[in-house]
Amino acid sequence: MTVYQWQNYDQYKSEANQVRDYYDSVHRCHELALQEMLREPCQSALDIACGHGESTKILEDYAHSLVGVDSSDDLIDIAIAQNEHPRTQYYCSTFEDFEAEDGSFDLVSAAWYWNHVHSESGLEEAAKKIHALLRPGGYVSFVVPGDSFTSRRIQDIAREGFHWNQAWTHEMPEATEGVFSYDDTWIRTKIWQPFFLMRKFSEWFDLSTWDVKATLVREGRLPHLCSEPPFEILYGKAR
């Protein structure tokens, strides 16, 4: 399993206004998409790449039982220590190695997972597995970096305001590849175009996009954000 080395970023994320406002906006839009999909709580949900449980907590009002999966031992330990939900279980595993019976979940959520999948075949295999894990008519919600994530403006803001380094090495129509780091740990990433993901996943899911910009304007969050939101919420039902 992997080792989490960004504990200092967790503190920074909670204390720096720009970063906190950004993640608050991500969580709010994700929650609104879940509200639109699920008029009442479902039975069970899976959170892929759950990290230290921040994304899993968002699901607590939408599922009676929850499973969070992440490949980092350290992050799972933090998630367990911080978990106050009596019906949440956390497992240290990659999603590829995670085992559950087909049809085990009514909802599968993945926040910041797809940018760690670096090939189209990997996207397809993960989508097939998610589809198999869902009960018929089950739901999915994905938080993904948006088109502007690799823009020069976002890079400048990330470097100056967030102390976050990015280097983009390959730009293609469907994705941009590169590395990012908050400290001395560089992580490879691939920022897939959201519409490309929607087309790629259309065999398994009927997806929509949440209107992030309208939400931020309507709720008065725009003045607190220093750039156009570089994230998208893709959500919908299994075909």
Side-chain angles (χ1 to χ4, degrees):
M1 298 298 105
T2 60
V3 176
Y4 182 69
Q5 299 177 329
W6 287 16
Q7 282 85 355
N8 53 349
Y9 182 67
D10 293 334
Q11 180 178 359
Y12 178 71
K13 189 168 71 173
S14 66
E15 294 178 356
N17 289 339
Q18 289 183 348
V19 184
R20 187 174 62 247
D21 290 341
Y22 168 74
Y23 281 102
D24 284 349
S25 297
V26 173
H27 297 157
R28 176 58 174 162
C29 291
H30 191 191
E31 185 173 18
L32 288 171
L34 290 167
Q35 286 180 13
E36 182 169 289
M37 282 198 305
L38 297 166
R39 302 302 180 181
E40 57 185 29
C42 63
Q43 186 60 39
S44 59
L46 171 66
D47 187 22
I48 303 171
C50 67
H52 45 48
E54 200 170 41
S55 58
T56 316
K57 289 181 179 295
I58 295 173
L59 306 179
E60 290 179 357
D61 291 335
Y62 304 97
H64 295 297
S65 65
L66 299 164
V67 172
V69 176
D70 198 276
S71 62
S72 168
D73 304 75
D74 294 341
L75 285 174
I76 289 296
D77 288 344
I78 296 171
I80 293 172
Q82 294 180 345
N83 174 41
E84 298 177 355
H85 194 279
R87 295 182 300 278
T88 299
Q89 294 178 299
Y90 290 103
Y91 297 95
C92 184
S93 171
T94 64
F95 179 56
E96 291 81 0
D97 294 334
F98 174 70
E99 295 183 358
E101 293 185 3
D102 287 355
S104 294
F105 301 100
D106 301 293
L107 167 66
V108 174
S109 176
W112 315 121
Y113 166 68
W114 295 109
N115 49 297
H116 297 291
V117 180
H118 298 147
S119 67
E120 291 191 39
S121 62
L123 293 176
E124 293 168 2
E125 289 303 312
K128 289 178 185 177
K129 184 169 183 176
I130 291 172
H131 190 270
L133 289 173
L134 284 169
R135 297 188 178 101
Y139 299 91
V140 294
S141 61
F142 306 140
V143 181
V144 301
D147 291 340
S148 66
F149 189 82
T150 60
S151 69
R152 176 61 62 184
R153 174 167 169 73
I154 296 297
Q155 290 183 59
D156 291 341
I157 292 170
R159 189 177 301 110
E160 296 169 8
F162 294 3
H163 305 289
W164 187 293
N165 295 309
Q166 301 173 349
W168 304 108
T169 56
H170 297 86
E171 186 172 348
M172 298 156 286
E174 70 277 7
T176 300
E177 292 183 349
V179 292
F180 67 93
S181 176
Y182 178 73
D183 49 25
D184 294 330
T185 306
W186 288 92
I187 296 177
R188 181 184 168 211
T189 190
K190 192 162 186 174
I191 308 302
W192 300 96
Q193 295 290 331
F195 281 175
F196 172 81
L197 289 179
M198 293 181 73
R199 290 193 297 270
K200 174 63 70 174
F201 295 156
S202 62
E203 180 178 346
W204 303 282
F205 312 113
D206 183 13
L207 294 175
S208 300
T209 59
W210 184 258
D211 195 337
V212 170
K213 294 178 184 177
T215 299
L216 301 181
V217 171
R218 183 174 60 249
E219 297 194 351
R221 295 172 178 267
L222 206 57
H224 304 291
L225 295 176
C226 54
S227 69
E228 190 168 312
F231 67 90
E232 298 283 352
I233 312 294
L234 310 182
Y235 67 107
K237 297 184 68 173
R239 292 188 181 276

